[in-house]
């Protein structure tokens, strides 16, 4: 067994701790780490992807001017009190496609009234 090493500091002398890990304990710890590191890495990867999805929704909300009441706050993934049905309705209501379809329908309706045949 090794004798404890001491280090001299300006305020006194201190004893450094020595390793008391046996080979069996070391192997046991390494086995546990080999099992847990991939799990922790996978969890970290999923957390990063989830945060990236949230950031994407927040950026879309910021560009569209709906900061506190937008896609990020209405998403059931990030706000459990919201349902998927409400989120889908919000996405449909705020989509460019629906906006363009309404504008085209209004334009066609106006043109059909303007160009209708007089009787």
């Amino acid at each position: 067994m090794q004798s404890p090493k001491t280090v001299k500091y300006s305020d006194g002398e201190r004893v450094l701790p020595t390793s008391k890990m046996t080979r069996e304990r070391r192997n046991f710890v390494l086995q546990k780490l080999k099992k847990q590191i991939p799990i922790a890495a996978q969890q970290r990867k999923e957390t990063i992807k989830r945060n990236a999805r949230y950031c994407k929704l927040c950026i879309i909300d910021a560009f569209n001017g709906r900061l506190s009441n937008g896609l990020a706050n209405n998403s059931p993934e990030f706000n459990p009190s919201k349902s998927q049905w409400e989120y889908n309705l919000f996405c449909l209501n705020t989509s460019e496609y629906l906006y363009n379809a309404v504008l085209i329908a209004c334009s066609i309706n106006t043109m059909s009234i303007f160009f209708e045949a007089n009787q």
Side-chain angles (χ1 to χ4, degrees), residues 41-58 72-73 75-81:
Q42 182 67 28
Q43 290 172 346
R44 178 72 177 147
K45 185 177 178 181
E46 290 170 2
T47 302
I48 289 172
K49 285 184 179 180
R50 184 176 187 274
N51 290 342
R53 286 192 304 270
Y54 183 72
C55 289
K56 174 186 161 191
L57 291 178
C58 286
N73 287 341
S75 174
E77 182 180 3
F78 306 112
N79 187 355
S81 66

Side-chain angles (χ1 to χ4, degrees), residues 53-97:
R53 286 192 304 270
Y54 183 72
C55 289
K56 174 186 161 191
L57 291 178
C58 286
I59 290 170
I60 291 170
D61 289 340
F63 278 117
N64 290 326
R66 48 178 193 255
L67 295 176
S68 63
N69 192 18
L71 290 170
N73 287 341
N74 286 320
S75 174
E77 182 180 3
F78 306 112
N79 187 355
S81 66
K82 301 287 184 175
S83 69
Q84 186 67 38
W85 177 250
E86 290 173 323
Y87 178 70
N88 290 340
L89 286 177
F90 183 80
C91 290
L92 177 67
N93 190 33
T94 58
S95 72
E96 284 287 319
Y97 297 117

Side-chain angles (χ1 to χ4, degrees), residues 96-114:
E96 284 287 319
Y97 297 117
L98 181 66
Y99 177 73
N100 291 334
V102 169
L103 283 180
I104 291 170
C106 290
S107 302
I108 291 173
N109 184 34
T110 303
M111 288 190 304
S112 69
I113 291 172
F114 183 75

Side-chain angles (χ1 to χ4, degrees), residues 112-119:
S112 69
I113 291 172
F114 183 75
F115 292 119
E116 84 179 308
N118 291 333
Q119 294 181 4

Side-chain angles (χ1 to χ4, degrees), residues 16-32:
L16 294 177
T18 59
S19 174
K20 294 186 180 181
M21 186 177 285
T22 63
R23 181 175 296 276
E24 294 83 23
R25 177 71 180 156
R26 180 180 174 276
N27 290 338
F28 175 76
V29 169
L30 288 176
Q31 283 179 340
K32 290 294 182 183

